[in-house]
Amino acid sequence: ALRCLFLRKFYRELIDNQVSFSFIMEITGGKDRAMKETRTLSKIKPLQDGRVPWRRFFARTMDHLICEILIGAVLSLVFHMNILSGSPAVLLAFWAGSCLLMLFLEPLSLSVWGRTPGKAVWGLSVRNPEGKRLSFGEAQSRAWCVLKKGCALYIPVISLFCLYRSCRSAREGERLWWEMDSELFLAEGGKFLRGVGFLAGYAALLASWLLIWQAGAVGPNKSPLSVSGFCENYNRVQSFFGISRPVNLPDTDLYQYIGRPMYLDENGEWQNASGFSQHFAENFSELPKLEFLGDSKDLTGIRFSMKYDRENVTVTSYRDFMALAAAAFICGQKEYQLLPVTPGMVYHQIRKLAGEYGSFSWKINGITVESRINYSDYRWVEGGAMMIPEYGGEPYFELDFQVSR
């Protein structure tokens, strides 16, 4: 006990009067360890008042983003969820998962290295009053206090107030709640380079986030692509991009709300969700009847066509189906790479081309996506979401779509 009291006294003198840290360690019987710790702390200084609030804020922001990326990877690659959909399930998973992961990874990092990745970038480290690394239990108690009192469990609005209060306390030189039993050290110099390193690291983390997000849209099946494999890929892509209506209905808020998506079975036939049926009074054009090109176990392409001559049929551009089918087939090729063309780029490019009710041809990685459309005596309604026959005219509509390699 006397030894511990003696050590505490000299450590406080280290903070107040810059007493040699190696001298303290030598008294405790650890000369070799003292030399190692001296080298580690030779370029850092203790912060009694913690007046680096922005460094601390950005360090924690980076650490939290790392946890969210890990949670996002599980949601995207394992459960195939669109992590940017903003759905309640995704938001709840991110909130609970990132908090729990922070309570494990931060203590582990502090107990092993004395710093987290974010703290390392900004030259911060955490030690106990004796100058040693925190134990896992001590670090976990500290992390829980930060999460509870400093971030308010990341509850919206409340967390902003707690972050502001913590920042103000740090600027005024007050010791924060979670640092009653620990000390924060700051490396001297290199402020500009640390800022550049933070921006570069944060940009890299955001890039990895976007790649993980897009990876969730890639179907489980690769070429040789069978009929059932393509259909499974299509259903995955449709769920990822949140198509919530049959693809022959117009893309309007009304049909997004009252409609339910239909899925392709293993034979390429359209099916409603289990236990659900839907009918619409409007005379819309039919769902695409797919024609599979090549061998049933090694598809070379898919195709569908339709033709209406002097029929009172409301037609849509089928842009969502074309985009989904193209993404499912292109991303299902064994040579497909997530970069430089992501599933989202394929989807939005085809959707844009098809939404203009005109013929187009688009090639990528040896695969051709083409559509030929011809119509007369039709007029656009709902901002181009659908076309209806002109009154008294002789409406004609013909569409042929194909994805092939």
Side-chain angles (χ1 to χ4, degrees), residues 190-204:
K191 187 174 181 180
F192 173 76
L193 292 179
R194 293 186 184 281
V196 173
F198 170 78
L199 293 176
Y202 206 82

Side-chain angles (χ1 to χ4, degrees), residues 59-109:
R60 182 152 297 278
T61 299
M62 176 173 280
D63 293 336
H64 189 251
L65 179 59
I66 291 173
C67 290
E68 287 197 329
I69 287 175
L70 294 175
I71 296 299
V74 173
L75 296 178
S76 180
L77 304 179
V78 178
F79 297 100
H80 311 296
M81 300 173 68
N82 185 341
I83 59 177
L84 295 185
S85 65
S87 67
V90 170
L91 294 177
L92 180 61
F94 268 117
W95 174 76
S98 60
C99 288
L100 292 175
L101 199 58
M102 184 72 78
L103 287 175
F104 173 75
L105 291 184
E106 181 173 336
L108 179 65
S109 183

Side-chain angles (χ1 to χ4, degrees), residues 106-168:
E106 181 173 336
L108 179 65
S109 183
L110 289 178
S111 61
V112 175
W113 298 291
R115 64 197 68 192
T116 61
K119 286 180 171 60
V121 170
W122 286 107
L124 301 170
S125 62
V126 178
R127 302 289 177 116
N128 64 16
E130 286 75 35
K132 301 177 183 178
R133 288 190 293 268
L134 303 180
S135 67
F136 183 85
E138 291 171 334
Q140 192 169 57
S141 297
R142 182 183 188 278
W144 170 243
C145 190
V146 174
L147 193 63
K148 180 176 64 174
K149 294 186 176 181
C151 303
L153 298 176
Y154 292 102
I155 298 174
V157 181
I158 300 177
S159 63
L160 293 177
F161 170 76
C162 289
L163 287 171
Y164 167 75
R165 184 179 61 178
S166 300
C167 179
R168 185 183 62 182

